[in-house]
Amino acid sequence: MKLVINADDLGYTKANTDGIFLSHSEGVLTSTTLLMNANATAYAISEAKNYPALGIGVHLTLTAGYPLTSPKTLIQSNGAFLDQLTLRQAVISETEVLQEWQTQIEHFEKQMGKKPTHLDSHHDVHFDPRFFELAKALAKKWDIPLRGADPRIPNVQNAFPEPEAISPDSFIKHLDHQSSYTGTELFCHPGFCDAELRKLSSYNEARELELKVLTDPVIQSYLADSQFELSTY
């Protein structure tokens, strides 16, 4: 059974990015997705060459940082993207979304020197009914998978659905529940937490708990003896 363990938010901050790379180099993380407009995007790109086995896709965003294009319907008065709640309620130009996301993917290709392994999105905005077909069209154009629309990976779940119960035992129990699927992606948010991350995200200190689980020898031993085949997209 194919198992992709994907860390969202590569490039969010340097500390968070370092934690993601550690989750891969010393743990069971197989995949990650890169924010193309974040504070540590350039740092993440420069470090990625040290992790050739790590699958890296694009973490499409409409709700964090500043756009790479010049949209009118996607931004606040200060030029930053709308927050999650406002985006849900706003009248949005689908053309602007398509242009922005396409630019994010193009920037990945230019700076990484290859196409992304797959697409997903920050705050799962691509699952918004207004945007899902746009994301599918971009995935088709680049001939890469999209989270939630890849028949090879029919099961997509949060690796740590209960933030108050992040532990090796709870992770193993969660893995056991995926045994009936032919392919699973468990998305997660490991990382080191610093002051910058606390300012940007309400999900902060729990990232270090995720990091500890993903690098725990107990988890590595469990997966080595399981039916799961660790993989990328």
Side-chain angles (χ1 to χ4, degrees):
M1 179 191 311
K2 188 173 184 178
L3 175 63
V4 177
I5 303 179
N6 186 90
D8 295 0
D9 297 345
L10 187 69
Y12 206 9
T13 70
K14 181 180 181 298
N16 189 73
T17 297
D18 285 339
I20 289 173
F21 285 138
L22 187 66
S23 296
H24 169 69
S25 64
E26 298 189 15
V28 297
L29 190 81
T30 61
S31 177
T32 187
T33 39
L34 176 63
L35 286 160
M36 294 310 302
N37 66 337
N39 293 344
T41 297
Y43 171 74
I45 291 170
S46 70
E47 290 295 304
K49 63 182 180 293
N50 298 319
Y51 307 96
L54 179 64
I56 304 179
V58 175
H59 201 46
L60 300 170
T61 185
L62 297 175
T63 55
Y66 291 80
L68 301 182
T69 57
S70 301
K72 296 181 179 178
T73 66
L74 305 179
I75 57 173
Q76 307 174 47
S77 58
N78 64 358
F81 277 127
L82 301 172
D83 60 62
Q84 294 182 67
L85 180 59
T86 304
L87 179 70
R88 291 193 200 104
Q89 300 172 341
V91 177
I92 298 297
S93 165
E94 293 183 1
T95 298
E96 289 184 349
V97 173
L98 189 64
Q99 290 174 340
E100 174 62 28
W101 280 355
Q102 179 165 297
T103 299
Q104 291 176 21
I105 300 169
E106 290 171 346
H107 277 223
F108 179 100
E109 280 194 308
K110 182 178 180 180
Q111 295 176 52
M112 292 287 289
K114 58 183 178 181
K115 71 179 183 180
T117 55
H118 67 293
L119 303 175
D120 57 33
S121 64
H122 197 50
H123 298 138
D124 280 335
V125 293
H126 77 280
F127 287 124
D128 185 311
R130 297 171 295 174
F131 311 140
F132 190 54
E133 292 302 320
L134 302 179
K136 286 172 64 176
L138 289 170
K140 182 178 181 180
K141 179 177 180 179
W142 264 270
D143 191 26
I144 54 178
L146 171 70
R147 174 184 285 168
D150 180 9
R152 297 171 303 166
I153 310 291
N155 180 39
V156 178
Q157 295 194 30
N158 191 335
F160 301 99
E162 300 179 32
E164 69 281 359
I166 299 175
S167 69
D169 285 345
S170 64
F171 187 56
I172 288 173
K173 288 179 182 178
H174 191 44
L175 282 167
D176 286 341
H177 292 154
Q178 317 310 319
S179 59
S180 62
Y181 296 95
T182 57
T184 290
E185 179 199 347
L186 295 181
F187 62 87
C188 52
H189 300 82
F192 292 113
C193 179
D194 60 0
E196 182 183 11
L197 184 63
R198 288 189 181 92
K199 289 180 181 179
L200 290 172
S201 176
S202 59
Y203 193 77
N204 41 61
E205 293 182 4
R207 295 180 190 243
E208 294 199 357
L209 298 177
E210 292 195 16
L211 170 59
K212 289 180 180 178
V213 171
L214 294 171
T215 55
D216 193 307
V218 170
I219 300 301
Q220 298 182 53
S221 178
Y222 167 86
L223 286 171
D225 295 332
S226 75
Q227 62 183 313
F228 294 107
E229 176 191 353
L230 286 173
S231 181
T232 62
Y233 268 97

